[in-house]
Amino acid sequence: QLQASGGGLVQPGGSLRLSCAASGSIFSINVMGWYRQAPGKQRELVAAITSGGNRNYADSVKGRFTISRDNAKNTVHLQMNSLKPEDTAVYYCNAVLRRAWYDGEHDYWGQGTLVTVSS
């Protein structure tokens, strides 16, 4: 299970921090990340981070968003600065993880948290 938090309403230029915690039986987590889906648009990758700390960002958020991860707590965070109206979307956390040593990797999704950037 993935539990996301931290969404809300913010003015353009403002900041928000999203957090997501993975719970339950977890053997290992490979990639954790954030996706977003704006009204009428497809879900897109915002940022992702591997267990080794390699990061990948969408071009539209580079320099403004920072993804971080706490492997000991199975959490991932997304610090969003200089927010723009076009960042408005439902943000979903994602984890590619194994529940047990004998298990394969599976995709898990959080429930989504709404970020609204508006004056």
Side-chain angles (χ1 to χ4, degrees):
Q1 181 180 359
L2 297 180
Q3 183 69 41
S5 62
L9 172 64
V10 64
Q11 292 185 343
S15 299
L16 279 176
R17 178 178 169 87
L18 304 183
S19 296
C20 178
S23 62
S25 178
I26 297 172
F27 177 74
S28 65
I29 303 179
N30 184 359
V31 182
M32 301 187 82
W34 291 91
Y35 289 71
R36 68 186 180 187
Q37 188 167 19
K41 295 187 177 181
Q42 291 187 331
R43 189 174 298 189
E44 62 174 358
L45 173 69
V46 176
I49 183 169
T50 68
S51 57
N54 292 318
R55 295 168 172 83
N56 183 36
Y57 294 95
D59 288 343
S60 59
V61 306
K62 284 181 181 177
R64 301 188 297 123
F65 291 10
T66 301
I67 190 169
S68 62
R69 171 175 175 169
D70 186 333
N71 290 330
K73 296 182 179 179
N74 293 329
T75 56
V76 63
H77 307 282
L78 186 68
Q79 179 66 42
M80 305 185 293
N81 298 329
S82 302
L83 282 161
K84 304 175 181 179
E86 50 263 44
D87 295 317
T88 295
V90 177
Y91 284 69
Y92 298 90
C93 65
N94 168 266
V96 180
L97 62 86
R98 296 170 67 187
R99 289 291 186 189
W101 65 268
Y102 50 80
D103 192 16
E105 289 188 338
H106 300 282
D107 258 331
Y108 290 83
W109 293 90
Q111 79 282 14
T113 183
L114 178 62
V115 172
T116 303
V117 185
S118 175
S119 55

